[in-house]
């Protein structure tokens, strides 16, 4: 036990995985970071408890619709106007946050799991595992991902948050796995790992106790960026008609409907795209700030 | 160089086989009957006709046999026949120019504007730098189909400057808006990489020497800074060409341009497997060749890099 604490205290940790004082103070100095963190937190809160936000202007139920008011522009009490079904657009847009964030969190979690497992396999064991995983990644890198996602989503009979996230994972893991492989490769060559192996620790223990905690940083830092990109992809797929479908309340579905009415009722297009853009921007900026603060190469 | 190219080509073969097989598997696992889709929903087809069509397209064979037959055709340059009877090579020949013009336009906009913005941001610093950073972040964050609709509404419908759909207006008019939208998907990365790279270049010792021996600012900038700094940018520009081709599916759909992406997109709901697989194979082939070309070009631009 003494040897393991000794080796993990070694100063050979390549990229800083934990927010040390330096990274945090660098983060706080960036003006974009606080705004981005606020937007990301607000959108996550909206996804978790939409009912707390939807009722701010009086009409809180996205399913309480009145066809008479179909596609009417904004009025008092309904700041975003009404959608084609005559539902309050503000509350539907607020509720739409949930499916975007749920897909993004599910997909990012899935990509992280695959990236960590395959990345450490390839980076730690090298040899044939590395070769096979490398070729599989090449297949996905050499693939027009959008085309692949459209084809597979068309074949699925059930398209909900889980299946859409699964398809996004299928095509989205390779870049993360490549980063993970690189950092495992760097950590596996360091002295404390050799020391751990030297005192007789089994492979599983070396991986879990020494390699993974020290190599997870660079991938973890990409999470924010990835969430932003996944939200953007999900809305694009849904917008194309191969993602989530109508009983689901989602920005992609709203934008898909809005495109037929964009000359007569532009508010149908404006408000969902505004929420979508601000959310994606928030997560991308947050990811950018985190990467800049933690990535030693960009300092 | 020779052995390197050979090895890269050999390495591309399993990738090509893997990707085509994945597309093949996905397309032919599609639920629904392509022959029924061909006849139209709720149409009655006589069993003998359906059987004849199935045999003609080898749909009665196991999937692996179908894939083998497909590969054999592919080696001879035959991509099969669409279920509508048109050879896939003919469809590709007809729609390829649209995609090439769209991709080319977008690529040129991306390269020129990206490099220019990056150089200006690095040299001017201050407000210009902040503006470029802000703009590229915005372009990175706003989903590009939203940008597509905004540009369609503003420049197409309200100002009436440019056509919003179709290719009747020809190049360049019909391709400016879609090209711009497609370019925006890669422009931020190009501008940022150029900026970082030029900043590094400005700090180099040989640049200090050039300034010290009395060269003018522009001569230093273009001959000693930008030329060296463009090496990583060229690599990114090459790789982006492949991604631009993938993005054409979305842009061609929104702007109604009858290119490869549009063909693939309309073929999927019709279960027209040969078209999806054929065009998918084409796109992968182009993507792989572009990447190989870029790596070779990299060695030419930067003599320090030895390919081997």
């Amino acid at each position: 036990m003494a040897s393991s604490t000794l080796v993990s205290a070694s100063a050979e940790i390549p990229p800083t995985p934990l927010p040390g004082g330096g990274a945090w103070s660098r983060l706080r100095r960036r003006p974009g970071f606080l705004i981005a963190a606020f937007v990301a937190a607000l959108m996550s809160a909206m996804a978790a408890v939409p009912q707390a936000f939807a009722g701010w202007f009086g009409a809180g139920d996205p399913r309480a619709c009145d066809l008479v008011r179909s596609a009417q522009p904004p009025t008092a009490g309904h700041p975003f106007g009404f959608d084609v079904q005559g539902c309050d657009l503000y509350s539907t847009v607020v509720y739409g946050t949930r499916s975007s964030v749920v897909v993004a969190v599910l997909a990012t979690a899935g990509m992280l799991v695959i990236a960590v497992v395959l990345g450490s396999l390839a980076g730690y064991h090298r040899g044939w595992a590395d070769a096979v995983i490398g070729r599989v990644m090449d297949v996905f890198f050499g693939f027009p991902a959008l085309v692949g996602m459209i084809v597979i989503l068309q074949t699925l009979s059930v398209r909900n948050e889980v299946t859409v996230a699964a398809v996004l994972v299928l095509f989205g893991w390779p870049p993360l796995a490549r980063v993970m492989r690189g950092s495992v490769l760097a950590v596996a060559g360091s002295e404390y790992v050799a020391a751990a192996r030297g005192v007789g620790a089994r492979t599983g223990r070396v991986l879990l106790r020494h390699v993974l905690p020290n190599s997870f940083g660079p991938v973890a830092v990409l999470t924010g960026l990835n969430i932003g990109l996944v939200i953007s992809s999900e809305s694009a797929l849904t917008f194309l008609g191969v993602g989530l479908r109508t009983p689901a309340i989602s920005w992609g579905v709203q934008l898909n409907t809005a495109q037929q009415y964009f000359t007569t009722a532009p508010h149908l297009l404006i408000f969902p795209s505004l929420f979508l853009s601000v959310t994606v921007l928030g997560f991308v900026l947050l990811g950018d700030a985190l990467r800049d603060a933690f990535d030693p190469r960009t300092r | 160089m020779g052995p390197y190219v050979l090895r890269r080509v050999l390495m591309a073969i399993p990738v090509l086989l893997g990707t085509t097989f994945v597309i093949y598997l996905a397309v032919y696992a599609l639920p629904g009957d392509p022959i029924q889709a061909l006849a139209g929903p709720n149409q009655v087809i006589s069993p003998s006709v359906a059987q004849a069509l199935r045999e003609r397209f080898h749909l009665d064979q196991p999937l692996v046999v179908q894939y083998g037959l497909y590969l054999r055709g592919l080696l001879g340059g035959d991509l099969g026949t669409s279920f509508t009877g048109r050879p896939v090579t003919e469809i590709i020949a007809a729609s390829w120019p649209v995609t090439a013009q769209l991709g080319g336009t977008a690529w040129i906009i991306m390269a020129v504007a990206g490099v220019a913005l990056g150089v200006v941001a690095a040299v001017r610093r201050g407000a210009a730098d902040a503006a470029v950073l802000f703009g590229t972040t915005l372009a990175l964050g706003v989903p590009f189909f939203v940008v597509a609709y905004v540009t369609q509404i503003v420049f197409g419908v309200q100002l009436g400057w440019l056509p919003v759909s179709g290719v009747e207006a020809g190049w360049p008019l019909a391709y400016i808006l879609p090209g711009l939208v497609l370019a925006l998907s890669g422009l931020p990365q190009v501008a940022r990489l150029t900026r970082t790279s030029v900043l590094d270049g400005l700090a180099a010792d040989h640049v200090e020497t050039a300034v010290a021996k009395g060269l003018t600012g522009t001569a230093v900038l273009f001959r000693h800074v930008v030329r060296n700094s463009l090496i990583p940018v060229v690599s990114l520009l090459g790789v982006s060409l492949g991604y631009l081709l993938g993005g054409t599916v979305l842009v061609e759909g929104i702007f109604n341009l009858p290119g490869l992406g549009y063909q693939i997109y309309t073929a999927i709901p019709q279960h027209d497997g040969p078209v999806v697989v054929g065009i998918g194979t084409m796109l992968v082939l182009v993507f792989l060749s572009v990447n190989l070309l870029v790596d070779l070009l990299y060695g030419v631009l930067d003599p320090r890099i030895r390919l081997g």
Side-chain angles (χ1 to χ4, degrees), chain B residues 17 58 65-80:
Chain B
L17 285 180
H58 309 296
V65 176
Q66 288 186 41
Y67 182 65
L69 286 170
Y70 173 75
L71 282 183
R72 206 177 63 191
L74 187 65
L75 282 177
D78 176 17
L79 288 169

Side-chain angles (χ1 to χ4, degrees), chain A residues 141 155 239-240 259 280 288, chain B residues 30 137 141 149 192 250 265 287:
Chain A
F141 279 121
T155 70
F239 171 79
L240 285 173
Q259 51 172 319
V280 174
D288 248 14
Chain B
L30 284 173
T137 311
Y149 272 97
R192 285 180 173 199
L250 206 57
Y265 191 68
F287 190 86

Side-chain angles (χ1 to χ4, degrees), chain B residues 152-171:
Chain B
Q152 275 186 325
I153 293 174
V154 174
F155 297 105
V157 179
Q158 294 191 337
L159 295 173
W161 289 351
L162 294 161
V164 287
S165 85
V167 288
E168 286 74 33
W171 197 87

Side-chain angles (χ1 to χ4, degrees), chain A residues 86-99:
Chain A
C87 317
D88 176 50
L89 190 60
Y90 170 73
S91 57
T92 52
V93 168
V94 167
Y95 271 85
T97 317
R98 176 171 276 175
S99 48

